């Protein structure tokens, strides 16, 4: 029996490590961490956001927006994110303004609050983070910011999962100087179509108390993830704004790989 246990326990640890849980695609943040010593590189190949409001059209394109996650223990991972290139184009009253900029760097960590590797259907984590003003506006925010995310997930069945993600931020003011309160909540349902394809439908409401203008944004999103190999995932995502204060649409496609 002891010999059998010695063989089973390492196999169980390996089985736990084979489940690749990325933070792409979608609005919600999954409450899972990378295994110790494993690295996940999650990149948006192209990310396009369009907003038409009051006779003004804004197009924002991000290239290579990347998050790197490093497993430190069975409960904690470190995170670093960076947007290496952003193109912003605003057309209003016959004039066009365009800018190509580098984005900011984000640093953070994710810590599990529930037992890792357990068979419990409910899981929860906490993600404190900060953004460093490395880039330039409009791709960069212009000042430092910070926030905390509290991702939660509940497995309703073998194929259906529920995710909820509240977030509170010290968001950078629109003029790039100072911070203000912003908070949001997202909820979504994921459905496992096949062993390698997952579809997710989500909704998010966000309140931004910028001193220049307080707004409430709401959007709905649909995304698909394809696990091509145990360590490589491709994804597509689309979101639509549900009120006038929300960008009309967002589309992106990306890839994640685990080392």
């Amino acid at each position: 029996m002891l010999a059998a246990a010695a063989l089973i326990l390492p196999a169980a640890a390996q089985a736990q490590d084979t489940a690749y849980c990325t933070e792409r695609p979608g609005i919600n943040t999954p409450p899972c961490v990378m295994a110790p010593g494993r690295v996940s590189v999650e990149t948006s190949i192209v990310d396009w956001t369009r907003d038409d409001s009051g006779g003004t059209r804004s197009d924002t394109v991000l290239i290579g927006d990347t998050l790197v996650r490093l497993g430190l223990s069975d409960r904690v991972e470190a995170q670093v994110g960076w947007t290496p290139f952003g193109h912003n184009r605003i057309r209003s009253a016959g004039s066009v303004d365009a800018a190509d900029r580098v984005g900011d760097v984000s640093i953070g960590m994710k810590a599990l609050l529930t037992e890792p590797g357990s068979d419990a259907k409910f899981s929860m984590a906490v993600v404190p983070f900060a953004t460093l003003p490395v880039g330039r506006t409009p791709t960069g925010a212009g000042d430092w910011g910070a926030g905390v995310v509290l991702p939660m997930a509940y497995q309703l069945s073998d194929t259906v999962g529920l995710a909820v993600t509240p977030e509170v931020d010290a968001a950078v003011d629109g003029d790039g100087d100072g911070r203000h309160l912003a908070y949001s909540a997202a909820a979504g349902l994921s459905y496992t179509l096949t062993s390698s394809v997952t579809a997710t439908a989500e909704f998010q409401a966000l309140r931004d108390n910028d001193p220049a203008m307080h707004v409430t944004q709401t959007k709905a999103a649909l995304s698909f993830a394809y696990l091509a190999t145990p360590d490589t995932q491709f994804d597509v995502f689309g979101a639509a704004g549900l009120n006038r204060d929300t960008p009309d649409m967002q589309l992106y496609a990306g890839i994640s790989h685990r080392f």
Side-chain angles (χ1 to χ4, degrees):
M1 291 178 62
L2 290 175
L7 293 173
I8 292 172
L9 289 177
Q14 285 185 342
Q16 177 184 338
D17 187 33
T18 57
Y20 186 18
C21 179
T22 73
E23 293 204 357
R24 298 183 55 87
I27 304 170
N28 284 280
T29 300
C32 55
V33 299
M34 297 301 299
R38 301 302 299 270
V39 177
S40 177
V41 179
E42 306 172 15
T43 300
S44 182
I45 300 171
V46 61
D47 184 327
W48 172 47
T49 301
R50 173 180 172 177
D51 189 23
D52 289 296
S53 178
T56 299
R57 173 173 172 173
S58 172
D59 292 280
T60 301
V61 178
L62 305 179
I63 303 295
D65 189 19
T66 300
L67 176 68
V68 179
R69 303 163 57 203
L70 170 63
L72 302 178
S73 72
D74 60 351
R75 285 183 176 271
V76 178
E77 72 176 25
Q79 300 184 345
V80 178
W82 184 44
T83 304
F85 177 80
H87 172 77
N88 182 262
R89 182 177 183 270
I90 299 176
R91 184 177 63 189
S92 178
S95 64
V96 177
D97 293 322
D100 296 334
R101 297 287 188 265
V102 172
D104 294 334
V105 169
S106 66
I107 56 174
M109 62 170 287
K110 183 191 292 186
L112 289 178
L113 300 179
T114 52
E115 189 66 26
S118 67
D119 294 330
K121 294 184 177 181
F122 176 75
S123 55
M124 181 177 180
V126 60
V127 188
F129 68 91
T131 57
L132 309 179
V134 174
R136 296 173 57 195
T137 58
T139 303
D143 203 346
W144 67 268
V148 62
V149 184
L150 197 67
M152 293 172 277
Y154 186 83
Q155 196 65 30
L156 299 173
S157 70
D158 291 339
T159 57
V160 180
L162 170 67
V164 178
T165 307
E167 179 176 348
V168 178
D169 298 338
V172 179
D173 293 348
D175 61 5
D177 185 15
R179 282 150 296 282
H180 61 272
L181 175 66
Y183 50 92
S184 66
L189 287 173
S190 61
Y191 183 77
T192 303
L193 299 174
T194 70
S195 60
S196 58
V197 179
T198 301
T200 303
E202 298 169 294
F203 172 82
Q204 183 188 46
L206 180 148
R207 178 65 177 177
D208 191 333
N209 292 332
D210 192 297
M213 180 183 296
H214 294 196
V215 297
T216 299
Q217 298 182 344
T218 56
K219 64 181 178 181
L222 180 64
S223 60
F224 294 88
Y226 168 58
L227 194 64
T229 74
D231 293 317
T232 304
Q233 176 187 279
F234 297 93
D235 63 72
V236 292
F237 169 93
L242 302 180
N243 66 1
R244 66 178 63 185
D245 293 324
T246 309
D248 294 326
M249 62 183 299
Q250 180 186 10
L251 300 171
Y252 67 62
I255 181 173
S256 303
H257 185 75
R258 180 174 59 176
F259 297 90

